[in-house]
Amino acid sequence: MAARQEANFAALKATMEGQDRFIGSFTHELKTPMTSILGYADLLRRGTLSPEEQANAADYIFSEGKRLERLSLKLLELYLAEHQALSLVPAAPADLLQDLTAHLSPGLARQGIVLTTQWEPGLCLLEPDLFRSLVLNLIDNSRKAIGAQGTISISCQMTERGCRLTVQATGRGMPPEVLSHLTEAFYRVDKSRARAQGGAGLGLALCEKIAVLHQGRITFESTLGQGTTVTVSLEGGRP
């Protein structure tokens, strides 16, 4: 009984600490752009800026406003993933991937990123919209990690209990000590680069939630100077 109570207390303490970290990070994410937006808006209101300075201030307000919009939408995705009733239906991962990658490949190519794909035919039980969100977030995260030029390779194999999605990207890679933190909300490996690219540090947290909702898990392997591989098992079943 004492051991059970101690374990429950430790779990509750970890949950509260996680909530405190989330609130602290969320507050920081809001405070930084809002301070800048209000500061530039006040300068515009005073009418003391030159035309060039006015244009720069307006551009900054717009870009930070868009970043706050992306943050709010990502938080909404996380909320819906946690609170909406999940209905898994028979779907072909290959068809969903083919449709997504056909639309994403041209834009990635313009950035110097080659997208390669390989998948097996078959059906498994998925929530199609969440599966699309999973793939989009993994590709976007890989794109940001690559930078200028590189390759993103996507493969999907059917398994007895569902499917296994693998996204491999060339790039800088990550040290082993950061891998266990990647799915923490607002966590960024390179904070300055992620902020410049508009990242909120929520994409992989959402990916983990989607994997769990499909009775699966997400894992990471990375080598510095070579790249990162993300593997997501979705085990909601086969029809």
Side-chain angles (χ1 to χ4, degrees), residues 25-214:
S25 299
F26 179 61
T27 301
H28 176 74
E29 288 296 322
L30 288 180
K31 182 179 179 180
T32 302
M34 287 304 298
T35 300
S36 300
I37 287 172
L38 291 172
Y40 276 108
D42 187 49
L43 290 173
L44 287 172
R45 187 182 60 172
R46 294 180 186 182
T48 58
L49 300 178
S50 68
E52 182 180 357
E53 289 172 332
Q54 291 179 27
N56 289 335
D59 286 343
Y60 188 85
I61 290 172
F62 179 79
S63 64
E64 289 298 280
K66 292 297 290 184
R67 190 159 71 84
L68 287 176
E69 180 185 48
R70 289 191 295 268
L71 172 61
S72 63
L73 291 174
K74 196 67 70 176
L75 284 170
L76 178 61
E77 283 189 87
L78 272 173
Y79 177 84
L80 292 176
E82 289 186 354
H83 294 87
Q84 274 190 337
L86 187 66
S87 178
L88 302 182
V89 298
D95 293 345
L96 297 171
L97 285 169
Q98 186 173 20
D99 180 65
L100 280 172
T101 55
H103 288 88
L104 294 174
S105 292
L108 292 170
R110 287 193 292 270
Q111 300 177 51
I113 298 174
V114 177
L115 181 62
T116 67
T117 57
Q118 182 179 2
W119 44 65
E120 294 178 353
L123 296 176
C124 61
L125 298 180
L126 301 171
E127 203 299 314
D129 288 335
L130 288 181
F131 182 82
R132 291 186 185 94
S133 184
L134 169 69
V135 176
L136 286 171
N137 275 284
L138 290 177
I139 292 177
D140 188 55
N141 201 71
S142 298
R143 175 188 64 81
K144 292 171 181 175
I146 287 174
Q149 291 184 329
T151 300
I152 300 175
S153 301
I154 301 177
S155 64
C156 186
Q157 293 84 37
M158 305 307 297
T159 65
E160 290 185 1
R161 300 180 60 184
C163 65
R164 182 171 56 252
L165 178 71
T166 303
V167 179
Q168 186 174 23
T170 58
R172 299 180 302 276
M174 295 173 287
E177 60 268 19
V178 310
L179 299 182
S180 61
H181 300 286
L182 292 178
T183 57
E184 294 177 7
F186 299 110
Y187 182 81
R188 300 183 181 93
V189 177
D190 187 337
K191 293 179 174 58
S192 60
R193 183 185 296 269
R195 187 175 297 278
Q197 293 172 329
L202 292 172
L204 292 178
L206 178 60
C207 290
E208 181 182 50
K209 177 59 63 177
I210 293 171
V212 171
L213 289 171
H214 287 81

